[in-house]
Amino acid sequence: MSDESKKEAMKQLRAERKSSIQKAAATVKQQKKELKLLKEHLTGDGATAPEIAEAIGINVSQVIWYLATLKQYGEVVEGTKDGCYFKYQLVETDSAEAA
Amino acid sequence: MADGQTITCDALVVGGGIAGLQSALDLADQDFSVVIIEKDLSIGGKMIRLSKVFPTLDCSSCITTPKMASAAHHKNITIHTWCDLKFLNSSDGIVRAHVTQKPRFVDEDKCIGCRKCEYACPVYVPDSEQGGFCATKAVRIPFSNAIPQVAALDPEFCMLCGKCEKVCPTGAIDYFQKPVDFTIEAKTAILATGFEMTTIKGKPQYGDGDVQNVITSLQMERLLAPHGPYNRVLRPSDGMEPDSIAFVQCAGSRDKSMGIPYCSRFCCMYAIKQAMLLSGSLPLADIIIYYMDIRAFGKGYEQFYQNAKAMGIQFVKGKVANIQQADDGAVAIRYEAQDGTGVTTENHDLVVLSLGVFPDWSPKGICPVSTGKDNFIQTVQPSIAPTLTDREGLFVAGAAAGPKDIVDSISEAGAAAMEASNYLMALGK
Amino acid sequence: MTDPKEKTEKAESGKSEKIGVYICYCGGNISDHVDVEKVRDEAEKMPGVAVARTNSFMCSDPGQELIIEDLKNGLIDRVVVASCAPSLHETTFRGAIARAGANPYIYDHANIREHVSWVLHGEKATFKAEKLVGAAVGKASLLQELDPIRVDARKHATVIGGGIAGLKAAKVLAERGIDVVLVEKSPYLGGNAARLDTIAPFGEKSAALISELAEDVLARDNITVMTHSKVIGFEGYVGNFDLTVQTTFADAADHEQAAGHYIPTVGVITESATEHIIETGAVILATGFKSYQPRHGEYGFGENSAVVTLPEFIKQMSEVDPSKTELEIGSRKIRSIAMIHCVGSRQIPGIHEEDEDGYLNEYCSRTCCSAILHAANQVKEIFPDTNVYDFYRDIRTYGRGQEELYDQAANNRVVFLRYSAEDSPVVTANDDGSDAPLKVTVKDGLTFNEEVEVAVDLVVLATGMEAASIPELVSMMKLPVGTDKFLQEIHPKLAPVEMAVSGVFLAGTAQAPMTIAEACNGAAAAAVKTASLLSKGHVELDPYVAEVDQNLCQGGGACIEACLADGALEMQDVKTAEGTVKKARVVPALCLGCGACAAVCPSRAIDLKGWSLKQYEAMVDMIVAED
């Protein structure tokens, strides 16, 4: 389809999916905010999920969910063990991009 | 595929799990043409989602992926994933199926499975392929060894931001993809529609799904799997490595109050297997299985059970009365021990429920094949021809005809393929 | 893109310089113990290696795709895969190479799972993995393209055993258009099932099931039934077996009924054919099981006639007069019965008594729980006043309709007592003054291990299944047998009805205890594999066979003396410039590829394709090479 008609079709699709798009956008906004906070606390030797949760005021189960996710996408690695918990560290930016 | 198209073949296999794949391969190897339709984004069924399998402790992928690959590359097999079966019937030697392929919003022919879209997508979505323990993206390859290796976009979570479209090297993203209706005309069909497991929700005595660190056995499979969410076993509430893990057997089976009076057949063995794998990865952890009867009936199963006992896994005979949240994310299990100690409460870091197994597909309103009072597909000669349904030309294999472990499903799938072959021969193919 | 075929041909003059090495993590199965990336780094440095890659599952589609892409792009012309045992996935990787348009035999396999990560840990594991990969690389550098040996396959199968599984296999194969000979050692068809009355859990008459199958089998033109017969000779190879069958009429029962009739407790009587050499393409073993026979004194068996096995009890029950108000067996009133599970099954070393060969049946016999509950229900439903006490370890009513038997038994007021293997019930003579001859004592796990005593008129032992005794077949056909003495399949999931001997399949309880339904599924599954194998009219065999260099052969004949396979090597007259001389010749389809000939040839004229001495030397060189 031509650029023009595609633009029009996209517009229409956006209108159709308005509510789910809004919901997704709100989710992304929240995720971005929380991930930014979380990553700020992953510098240096890293930290455990409860330590991060305590520091940034997010539920610890949500923190471990983010950590597991970032690990899947190569942005975080598991570090040393601290008691019953593992520390998590940010991957150097270069390799994160490569991943 | 074009909307309204009709595909013809000798045999239709409904379900691309291990039973369906085996049936398809056994038919195709005899030069019958086979079409597999699968409701999911990938073939492989429950088995490809498992960690290791009893009693050999082979990794599940090692057994499943080659069968998936040989089906996918077989000259006599065509696979359609992400399909809904709308109608299926057989009469006068013709099996007709109406199928709707749902939109993936990705062109299956163009996608090369590079995952660039997935990395570019900004929306994190709970990953049901990982028990919800981590996120995937709104557009993603379903899982690492999925077949086909084709991305799919979930419109529920998509913002239409266009990032995936921009990075796709082959122009495969198609936001406007529509469902495609097509017809399959075969001569016979094998129903290999598999099973599903009940959820924790709706079981107040087991915490209704609100008690942290109470997980399902399929979630435990993910925790133990090589590509699991944490790559190790951690409890999901806070990422702690558990010291004490309990399995609650018959949590939904053999219990009329749960709606499932029958035995779910393979839970004893997978609980023992999971316990063994846990004791390998967490050698210091206490592992307890609460059970009524251990049903280790298959070849090599009893020896597997005795090995587990010898490894120090504790087997406690007692019916679990209820499960509640204890302090610091722990889970309190109250049970009546049959050794005379009476009602006891024990705390664990992580609790796995062996939930009930029920049919994943109901033919009601789609296909005139009968079901039993257990809702699984009814077979008419259960002893000497266990794969025959009450509709001529329609056969059943695997857990669609009652809970069945992988070994028994594979055997039955071969049997269904044999009966279907002979039905085709009788039709004069 | 370069044509990979052209590449391999070019390399034939010397060693390949384009070896691709593909190392599998196997999830964590390998990578938990082997430093896979280090092995990759080392492999990359090995002579001739062009690329070395890793993948979490090399057998998955994305994993196979790596190999295919490299072949198609001309990066490689030899393939080494380091993963699990080749018995699991050799065919998988050959298939991938063939899909890339290359010859599937340009590939060698290093087993770094079963031979490494499952038995070694840490540096040792990584070291051994490197060595095995090195050996495979050394061999791969000298691999040649080979073609499989294609031989005609007879569209004919032989089923050994005329029980339920054998009948089912014969029936479905014949329906598929394959000629079948069914060989049964007894005069009857029906096997062990003929001793049963009704079948748990659905209650069909065993006689009806057997008759239905047997009538079908006897009516088919393309099935030859040979009763009173046993297989005494086995020769040939997949697609072309010659079986010698010996038929003896001496033990034929003296029955007046005509062939095709069902005779209670034994089965359908048949007339026997007299054919003696069967030319067949595949063999299905449906040799069945035998019932466990309790030791003298085991739960009082043999010491007291009121202790019987379940098959005996089933026979007694089928003769009982149901119109009586009380259960009477042989004019003895039976008011109270004890049924004991797991007799001869689930035996535990150190607890149970071994047999004279020091052997225990450690497995579960799978069928007895449902069978004995079915019997208990029959008793209670006809004679509600008869007390039934059920002594069990675990109730294993796992299958469809089976849990209902258990519920029904509870509703029928069968009394359950749970025992542990350490404290099995004790059966002794009753001395409480009542007329019940026996008493059973047990620590009941359902009532806090209290000691309970029950006086009974009859004890029924739920005896399990044992592998049928077929030592002649096992040694003649070189059949693998498991530690449980049942015949052993190649792999429970990948090849569940296939045996290591190509063209030989397993059906029913020859493999393990199973129900009639499961035996029929196993039989049909074996039949479908047989049909796939034979329906094409030919089979392909691996080309790993001996090859004679006619220029070097001196005609000494040492190879023929050493040869383990009859007819695989022969002398032929060859005309040369110096006149007619004798030279050895290989019959590829019969050659086992064992290499015994290569070892004895004084002039090194005979070698194995795909496993040549030079290739072995290259492997050894790589193993002993200093790092």
Side-chain angles (χ1 to χ4, degrees):
Chain A
M1 83 181 77
S2 73
D3 282 0
E4 203 53 39
S5 62
K6 190 178 168 190
K7 228 179 206 171
E8 190 52 40
M10 282 301 279
K11 206 171 139 191
Q12 207 180 332
L13 196 61
R14 281 202 180 87
E16 275 169 31
R17 294 199 194 153
K18 196 175 167 196
S19 77
S20 69
I21 289 175
Q22 276 177 350
K23 217 171 131 196
T27 307
V28 169
K29 202 175 158 196
Q30 173 83 359
Q31 285 173 346
K32 277 198 171 145
K33 197 177 91 190
E34 291 179 347
L35 280 166
K36 184 165 175 281
L37 274 171
L38 186 139
K39 285 181 184 171
E40 281 167 9
H41 282 83
L42 280 177
T43 48
D45 281 351
T48 66
E51 285 166 4
I52 300 166
E54 170 110 45
I56 63 178
I58 297 173
N59 194 332
V60 62
S61 64
Q62 186 66 18
V63 169
I64 189 74
W65 189 77
Y66 278 131
L67 289 169
T69 302
L70 293 174
K71 208 159 143 273
Q72 297 280 324
Y73 286 101
E75 293 186 57
V76 155
V77 286
E78 190 182 270
T80 52
K81 203 173 170 190
D82 183 5
C84 298
Y85 296 90
F86 286 88
K87 289 188 171 200
Y88 295 89
Q89 290 164 297
L90 269 188
V91 173
E92 298 297 316
T93 323
D94 288 355
S95 51
E97 269 165 18
Chain B
M1 193 179 356
D3 205 39
Q5 199 180 328
T6 297
I7 309 168
T8 57
C9 60
D10 291 324
L12 166 67
V13 173
V14 184
I18 191 63
L21 290 173
Q22 188 63 54
S23 287
L25 287 167
D26 283 338
L27 282 162
D29 282 348
Q30 298 175 74
D31 264 347
F32 294 114
S33 61
V34 183
V35 170
I36 301 176
I37 54 167
E38 164 58 46
K39 73 170 169 50
D40 223 328
L41 287 165
S42 167
I43 54 169
K46 289 282 182 295
M47 188 177 172
I48 189 63
R49 276 92 174 172
L50 305 182
S51 54
K52 296 187 182 181
V53 284
F54 61 82
T56 50
L57 291 184
D58 283 305
C59 60
S60 193
S61 283
C62 300
I63 314 295
T64 328
T65 47
K67 294 208 197 240
M68 290 163 70
S70 40
H73 299 297
H74 205 294
K75 68 178 168 51
N76 298 327
I77 300 179
T78 315
I79 298 170
H80 300 283
T81 53
W82 208 224
C83 286
D84 276 339
L85 181 61
K86 300 288 186 193
F87 168 85
L88 176 71
N89 201 0
S90 88
S91 63
D92 302 327
I94 295 175
V95 169
R96 194 166 275 111
H98 297 165
V99 180
T100 299
Q101 186 164 43
K102 294 169 273 185
R104 308 171 83 103
F105 303 102
V106 172
D107 187 324
E108 206 171 327
D109 297 329
K110 289 184 186 161
C111 177
I112 53 168
C114 67
R115 292 181 80 196
K116 285 195 170 139
C117 54
E118 181 175 342
Y119 276 92
C121 177
V123 194
Y124 290 102
V125 177
D127 189 357
S128 57
E129 296 294 354
Q130 296 285 21
F133 293 138
C134 64
T136 182
K137 299 288 186 70
V139 61
R140 75 277 184 163
I141 295 280
F143 50 90
S144 64
N145 36 22
I147 288 184
Q149 280 281 304
V150 172
L153 184 150
D154 188 341
E156 195 192 329
F157 298 102
C158 175
M159 302 189 293
L160 290 175
C161 68
K163 283 192 173 142
C164 51
E165 193 181 29
K166 245 177 238 135
V167 297
C168 178
T170 60
I173 303 285
D174 177 3
Y175 298 117
F176 304 102
Q177 212 174 52
K178 294 271 179 295
V180 175
D181 294 321
F182 63 101
T183 301
I184 298 167
E185 239 179 56
K187 299 187 184 84
T188 182
I190 293 176
L191 303 170
T193 47
F195 71 91
E196 199 37 83
M197 294 186 96
T198 55
T199 60
I200 310 178
K201 286 241 174 280
K203 293 187 174 52
Q205 64 273 52
Y206 295 147
D208 238 348
D210 297 331
V211 180
Q212 281 191 321
N213 301 321
V214 175
I215 64 172
T216 70
S217 45
L218 286 174
Q219 285 180 311
M220 181 49 99
E221 287 296 327
R222 293 318 305 160
L223 293 185
L224 291 163
H227 291 289
Y230 313 127
N231 273 346
R232 60 171 70 252
V233 179
L234 301 175
R235 65 178 199 188
S237 74
D238 60 357
M240 187 187 96
E241 192 157 73
D243 268 339
S244 159
I245 300 149
F247 291 83
V248 178
Q249 297 309 101
C250 300
S253 311
R254 300 181 66 192
D255 188 340
K256 287 186 192 77
S257 71
M258 299 282 196
I260 294 186
Y262 52 83
C263 166
S264 290
R265 187 156 167 165
F266 44 72
C267 333
C268 282
M269 288 305 292
Y270 71 61
I272 296 172
K273 171 204 73 181
Q274 292 183 344
M276 274 192 178
L277 296 176
L278 284 168
S279 102
S281 58
L282 304 169
L284 299 176
D286 290 324
I287 302 165
I288 299 177
I289 297 180
Y290 296 97
Y291 75 102
M292 301 214 288
D293 297 279
I294 290 294
R295 296 187 163 170
F297 55 82
K299 185 166 184 170
Y301 294 4
E302 175 69 17
Q303 296 90 319
F304 192 78
Y305 166 41
Q306 297 301 336
N307 288 346
K309 277 189 176 170
M311 281 169 75
I313 290 155
Q314 296 173 63
F315 289 82
V316 175
K317 188 168 162 81
K319 179 80 183 157
V320 170
N322 68 56
I323 295 175
Q324 285 172 330
Q325 196 79 67
D327 294 339
D328 296 328
V331 182
I333 286 187
R334 219 166 100 90
Y335 69 100
E336 183 165 355
Q338 290 194 337
D339 63 358
T341 43
V343 177
T344 313
T345 300
E346 201 76 56
N347 280 6
H348 304 282
D349 295 328
L350 189 59
V351 170
V352 186
L353 300 186
S354 291
L355 292 163
V357 166
F358 67 97
D360 193 21
W361 178 72
S362 165
K364 210 176 162 197
I366 300 171
C367 174
V369 76
S370 299
T371 51
K373 62 175 191 288
D374 55 8
N375 297 324
F376 289 96
I377 290 167
Q378 190 65 30
T379 63
V380 289
Q381 289 193 52
S383 286
I384 57 169
T387 62
L388 266 57
T389 72
D390 60 353
R391 292 295 298 182
E392 200 187 293
L394 299 187
F395 302 90
V396 63
K404 220 157 278 140
D405 63 32
I406 295 164
V407 172
D408 291 340
S409 293
I410 289 175
S411 170
E412 191 162 87
M418 186 75 258
E419 304 282 4
S421 308
N422 288 349
Y423 180 77
L424 287 167
M425 293 299 287
L427 286 179
K429 143 97 187 177
Chain C
M1 192 166 51
T2 326
D3 178 13
K5 197 151 192 181
E6 188 188 320
K7 287 279 165 194
T8 44
E9 275 161 12
K10 238 184 260 170
E12 262 163 27
S13 53
K15 290 191 171 187
S16 166
E17 292 294 326
K18 288 185 167 189
I19 302 166
V21 180
Y22 301 87
I23 310 162
C24 185
Y25 277 69
C26 197
N29 269 304
I30 292 170
S31 57
D32 284 352
H33 305 290
V34 172
D35 185 342
V36 172
E37 290 306 325
K38 179 160 184 288
V39 177
R40 197 208 69 84
D41 292 345
E42 292 301 318
E44 205 165 38
K45 295 179 213 152
M46 291 174 189
V49 172
V51 293
R53 303 186 196 281
T54 60
N55 190 271
S56 48
F57 290 106
M58 207 46 91
C59 60
S60 69
D61 225 28
Q64 294 184 41
E65 208 55 44
L66 293 175
I67 303 171
I68 292 172
E69 281 302 302
D70 288 348
L71 278 167
K72 282 188 175 169
N73 293 334
L75 285 176
I76 59 165
D77 60 13
R78 295 290 183 279
V79 176
V80 169
V81 177
S83 63
C84 53
S87 59
L88 294 174
H89 288 322
E90 194 170 50
T91 49
T92 307
F93 294 113
R94 277 192 199 153
I97 293 165
R99 284 208 305 283
N103 182 292
Y105 295 96
I106 56 158
Y107 138 72
D108 196 42
H109 196 99
N111 178 357
I112 59 164
R113 192 177 76 172
E114 283 82 345
H115 288 179
V116 180
S117 67
W118 281 1
V119 287
L120 293 171
H121 312 288
E123 277 175 28
K124 271 186 190 168
T126 304
F127 176 78
K128 186 174 175 189
E130 285 167 17
K131 288 292 175 191
L132 292 183
V133 168
V137 165
K139 187 183 170 208
S141 70
L142 291 170
L143 284 175
Q144 303 287 319
E145 291 193 355
L146 298 172
D147 292 314
I149 302 160
R150 180 187 265 228
V151 291
D152 289 341
R154 297 169 181 148
K155 248 182 153 174
H156 183 290
T158 301
V159 178
I160 305 178
I164 286 273
L167 289 170
K168 175 75 180 179
K171 172 186 188 277
V172 290
L173 274 172
E175 271 176 349
R176 181 66 183 77
I178 291 166
D179 294 340
V180 180
V181 170
L182 177 64
V183 183
E184 163 59 39
K185 69 176 187 309
S186 82
Y188 312 106
L189 298 177
N192 279 301
R195 296 179 310 150
L196 305 177
D197 181 28
T198 56
I199 306 295
F202 299 114
E204 305 106 307
K205 276 277 184 194
S206 179
L209 298 180
I210 294 170
S211 296
E212 188 180 336
L213 285 173
E215 278 164 20
D216 186 295
V217 162
L218 291 170
R220 282 181 191 275
D221 293 340
N222 60 347
I223 301 180
T224 308
V225 175
M226 302 178 75
T227 50
H228 320 81
S229 298
K230 58 183 182 183
V231 175
I232 55 161
F234 173 78
E235 281 173 13
Y237 48 91
V238 57
N240 297 273
F241 294 112
D242 291 338
L243 301 188
T244 313
V245 176
Q246 188 185 61
T247 304
T248 33
F249 293 92
D251 60 347
D254 185 17
H255 285 291
E256 285 168 15
Q257 283 98 330
H261 274 268
Y262 180 81
I263 296 166
T265 77
V266 289
V268 171
I269 184 129
T270 60
E271 284 175 336
S272 186
T274 51
E275 202 176 334
H276 280 282
I277 294 273
I278 308 173
E279 296 185 340
T280 197
V283 179
I284 294 184
L285 293 159
T287 49
F289 71 95
K290 62 173 194 258
S291 250
Y292 174 77
Q293 202 56 20
R295 282 178 292 106
H296 185 85
E298 188 173 1
Y299 297 110
F301 184 81
E303 292 169 345
N304 192 314
S305 62
V307 180
V308 297
T309 64
L310 180 57
E312 286 166 352
F313 180 66
I314 288 170
K315 188 160 183 288
Q316 289 172 342
M317 276 301 287
S318 69
E319 290 158 1
V320 154
D321 181 356
S323 63
K324 296 218 164 141
T325 51
E326 248 179 328
L327 173 60
E328 268 182 47
I329 292 176
S331 78
R332 209 160 63 82
K333 286 196 166 47
I334 308 291
R335 298 185 184 91
S336 177
I337 306 175
M339 294 185 169
I340 302 177
H341 289 240
C342 297
V343 179
S345 305
R346 298 184 66 192
Q347 294 174 327
I348 297 174
I351 295 177
H352 291 95
E353 202 176 312
E354 294 165 351
D355 70 6
E356 55 269 29
D357 303 326
Y359 186 80
L360 288 169
N361 295 340
E362 294 183 38
Y363 53 87
C364 163
S365 286
R366 185 165 182 151
T367 55
C368 356
C369 277
S370 286
I372 205 157
L373 289 172
H374 182 62
N377 284 331
Q378 270 182 323
V379 170
K380 292 298 284 188
E381 279 155 28
I382 309 172
F383 307 104
D385 294 335
T386 303
N387 295 311
V388 177
Y389 301 95
D390 183 292
F391 297 79
Y392 75 99
R393 283 167 65 185
D394 293 279
I395 295 286
R396 294 185 166 172
T397 44
Y398 60 89
R400 208 174 182 188
Q402 293 181 356
E403 187 74 4
E404 285 91 322
L405 291 178
Y406 187 17
D407 284 346
Q408 212 179 322
N411 291 338
N412 286 334
R413 296 171 187 259
V414 171
V415 178
F416 287 93
L417 301 101
R418 183 169 198 259
Y419 72 92
S420 64
E422 298 80 3
D423 283 308
S424 291
V426 177
V427 179
T428 47
N430 185 28
D431 49 12
D432 72 353
S434 74
D435 55 3
L438 295 167
K439 107 182 147 188
V440 184
T441 315
V442 75
K443 278 188 185 154
D444 177 21
L446 299 178
T447 51
F448 313 131
N449 289 327
E450 229 172 77
E451 188 155 290
V452 179
E453 253 183 44
V454 188
V456 293
D457 300 305
L458 188 69
V459 172
V460 180
L461 306 178
T463 43
M465 291 186 184
E466 287 186 320
S469 178
I470 48 164
E472 297 88 2
L473 280 179
V474 165
S475 73
M476 186 170 68
M477 297 176 73
K478 301 187 176 70
L479 304 173
V481 174
T483 52
D484 56 7
K485 296 190 180 175
F486 286 91
L487 294 178
Q488 189 70 39
E489 65 286 339
I490 291 179
H491 187 279
K493 297 179 183 78
L494 284 172
V497 292
E498 292 93 325
M499 298 209 78
V501 186
S502 179
V504 177
F505 302 94
L506 267 172
T509 51
Q511 184 173 19
M514 53 181 90
T515 66
I516 286 180
E518 289 153 357
C520 284
N521 272 344
V528 87
K529 301 286 184 225
T530 308
S532 298
L533 177 73
L534 301 180
S535 60
K536 291 177 190 71
H538 63 84
V539 291
E540 288 191 340
L541 310 176
D542 272 342
Y544 302 133
V545 294
E547 188 177 34
V548 181
D549 186 333
Q550 298 290 334
N551 295 324
L552 294 177
C553 179
Q554 305 292 318
C559 54
I560 294 178
E561 268 174 52
C563 182
L564 300 175
D566 288 342
L569 267 170
E570 55 193 26
M571 276 298 166
Q572 59 177 355
D573 290 332
V574 177
K575 286 198 179 91
T576 64
E578 296 95 61
T580 304
V581 294
K582 292 217 179 287
K583 302 238 181 215
R585 192 178 81 100
V586 178
V587 180
L590 292 175
C591 176
L592 304 169
C594 67
C597 52
V600 298
C601 179
S603 46
R604 279 204 169 195
I606 195 159
D607 210 345
L608 281 185
K609 284 202 236 177
W611 291 95
S612 69
L613 287 170
K614 275 209 170 111
Q615 288 166 351
Y616 275 109
E617 281 163 11
M619 292 170 78
V620 174
D621 285 347
M622 288 298 288
I623 291 169
V624 298
E626 296 291 329
D627 295 323

